[in-house]
Short mmCIF file of all heavy atoms in Angstrom, two decimals:
data_model
loop_
_atom_site.label_atom_id
_atom_site.label_comp_id
_atom_site.label_asym_id
_atom_site.label_seq_id
_atom_site.Cartn_x
_atom_site.Cartn_y
_atom_site.Cartn_z
N ASP R 280 62.91 31.20 90.41
CA ASP R 280 62.83 30.28 89.28
C ASP R 280 63.55 30.77 88.02
O ASP R 280 62.96 30.81 86.94
CB ASP R 280 61.37 29.98 88.97
CG ASP R 280 61.20 28.79 88.02
OD1 ASP R 280 62.09 27.92 88.02
OD2 ASP R 280 60.19 28.76 87.29
N PRO R 281 64.83 31.15 88.10
CA PRO R 281 65.56 31.50 86.87
C PRO R 281 65.66 30.28 85.96
O PRO R 281 65.81 29.15 86.44
CB PRO R 281 66.92 31.94 87.39
CG PRO R 281 67.08 31.24 88.70
CD PRO R 281 65.70 31.16 89.29
N THR R 282 65.62 30.51 84.65
CA THR R 282 65.55 29.37 83.73
C THR R 282 66.70 29.30 82.73
O THR R 282 66.74 28.39 81.92
CB THR R 282 64.22 29.38 82.96
OG1 THR R 282 64.11 30.61 82.23
CG2 THR R 282 63.04 29.25 83.90
N THR R 283 67.64 30.25 82.75
CA THR R 283 68.81 30.13 81.87
C THR R 283 70.00 29.64 82.69
O THR R 283 70.06 29.82 83.91
CB THR R 283 69.17 31.47 81.21
OG1 THR R 283 69.71 32.37 82.20
CG2 THR R 283 67.96 32.11 80.54
N ASN R 284 70.97 29.06 82.00
CA ASN R 284 72.13 28.50 82.71
C ASN R 284 72.87 29.58 83.50
O ASN R 284 73.20 29.39 84.67
CB ASN R 284 73.07 27.83 81.71
CG ASN R 284 72.50 26.56 81.13
OD1 ASN R 284 71.64 25.92 81.74
ND2 ASN R 284 72.95 26.19 79.94
N ARG R 285 73.16 30.70 82.87
CA ARG R 285 73.89 31.77 83.56
C ARG R 285 73.03 32.37 84.67
O ARG R 285 73.53 32.76 85.72
CB ARG R 285 74.30 32.85 82.56
CG ARG R 285 75.22 33.94 83.12
CD ARG R 285 76.66 33.51 83.24
NE ARG R 285 77.55 34.63 83.54
CZ ARG R 285 78.87 34.58 83.48
NH1 ARG R 285 79.47 33.46 83.10
NH2 ARG R 285 79.61 35.63 83.77
N GLY R 286 71.73 32.46 84.43
CA GLY R 286 70.84 33.04 85.43
C GLY R 286 70.74 32.21 86.69
O GLY R 286 70.48 32.75 87.78
N ARG R 287 70.96 30.90 86.58
CA ARG R 287 70.86 30.02 87.75
C ARG R 287 72.10 30.08 88.64
O ARG R 287 72.07 29.61 89.78
CB ARG R 287 70.65 28.57 87.29
CG ARG R 287 69.32 28.30 86.61
CD ARG R 287 69.14 26.81 86.41
NE ARG R 287 67.94 26.50 85.64
CZ ARG R 287 67.95 26.14 84.37
NH1 ARG R 287 69.11 26.03 83.72
NH2 ARG R 287 66.82 25.87 83.73
N ILE R 288 73.19 30.63 88.15
CA ILE R 288 74.45 30.62 88.90
C ILE R 288 74.44 31.69 89.99
O ILE R 288 74.27 32.88 89.70
CB ILE R 288 75.64 30.85 87.94
CG1 ILE R 288 75.74 29.72 86.92
CG2 ILE R 288 76.95 30.97 88.73
CD1 ILE R 288 76.70 30.01 85.79
N THR R 289 74.61 31.28 91.22
CA THR R 289 74.86 32.17 92.37
C THR R 289 74.05 33.46 92.36
O THR R 289 74.59 34.54 92.57
CB THR R 289 76.37 32.51 92.44
OG1 THR R 289 76.76 33.19 91.23
CG2 THR R 289 77.21 31.27 92.63
N GLY R 290 72.76 33.37 92.09
CA GLY R 290 71.89 34.55 92.16
C GLY R 290 72.02 35.51 91.01
O GLY R 290 71.62 36.68 91.13
N ASN R 291 72.53 35.06 89.86
CA ASN R 291 72.77 35.98 88.75
C ASN R 291 71.50 36.60 88.20
O ASN R 291 71.49 37.78 87.83
CB ASN R 291 73.51 35.26 87.62
CG ASN R 291 75.00 35.15 87.87
OD1 ASN R 291 75.55 35.85 88.72
ND2 ASN R 291 75.66 34.27 87.14
N PHE R 292 70.42 35.82 88.09
CA PHE R 292 69.17 36.39 87.58
C PHE R 292 68.69 37.51 88.50
O PHE R 292 68.29 38.59 88.05
CB PHE R 292 68.11 35.31 87.45
CG PHE R 292 66.76 35.81 86.99
CD1 PHE R 292 66.59 36.35 85.73
CD2 PHE R 292 65.65 35.75 87.84
CE1 PHE R 292 65.34 36.82 85.30
CE2 PHE R 292 64.41 36.21 87.43
CZ PHE R 292 64.26 36.75 86.15
N ASP R 293 68.75 37.27 89.79
CA ASP R 293 68.31 38.29 90.75
C ASP R 293 69.16 39.55 90.64
O ASP R 293 68.63 40.67 90.68
CB ASP R 293 68.38 37.72 92.17
CG ASP R 293 67.79 38.67 93.19
OD1 ASP R 293 66.57 38.90 93.15
OD2 ASP R 293 68.56 39.20 94.03
N ARG R 294 70.47 39.39 90.48
CA ARG R 294 71.33 40.57 90.36
C ARG R 294 71.03 41.35 89.09
O ARG R 294 71.04 42.58 89.08
CB ARG R 294 72.81 40.15 90.39
CG ARG R 294 73.37 40.02 91.80
CD ARG R 294 74.88 39.86 91.77
NE ARG R 294 75.24 38.55 91.25
CZ ARG R 294 75.33 37.46 92.00
NH1 ARG R 294 75.06 37.52 93.29
NH2 ARG R 294 75.67 36.31 91.47
N ALA R 295 70.76 40.64 87.99
CA ALA R 295 70.43 41.32 86.74
C ALA R 295 69.13 42.10 86.88
O ALA R 295 69.02 43.25 86.42
CB ALA R 295 70.33 40.31 85.60
N VAL R 296 68.14 41.50 87.50
CA VAL R 296 66.84 42.17 87.68
C VAL R 296 66.98 43.38 88.60
O VAL R 296 66.45 44.46 88.32
CB VAL R 296 65.79 41.18 88.21
CG1 VAL R 296 64.52 41.91 88.64
CG2 VAL R 296 65.47 40.14 87.13
N LYS R 297 67.70 43.22 89.70
CA LYS R 297 67.90 44.35 90.62
C LYS R 297 68.60 45.51 89.91
O LYS R 297 68.26 46.68 90.11
CB LYS R 297 68.70 43.90 91.84
CG LYS R 297 67.88 43.17 92.89
CD LYS R 297 68.73 42.85 94.12
CE LYS R 297 67.88 42.39 95.30
NZ LYS R 297 67.11 41.17 95.03
#
Side-chain angles (χ1 to χ4, degrees):
D280 193 27
T282 59
T283 70
N284 290 336
R285 187 79 170 192
R287 293 189 186 104
I288 297 168
T289 60
N291 280 344
F292 177 66
D293 186 66
R294 274 191 289 274
V296 170
K297 280 184 168 61

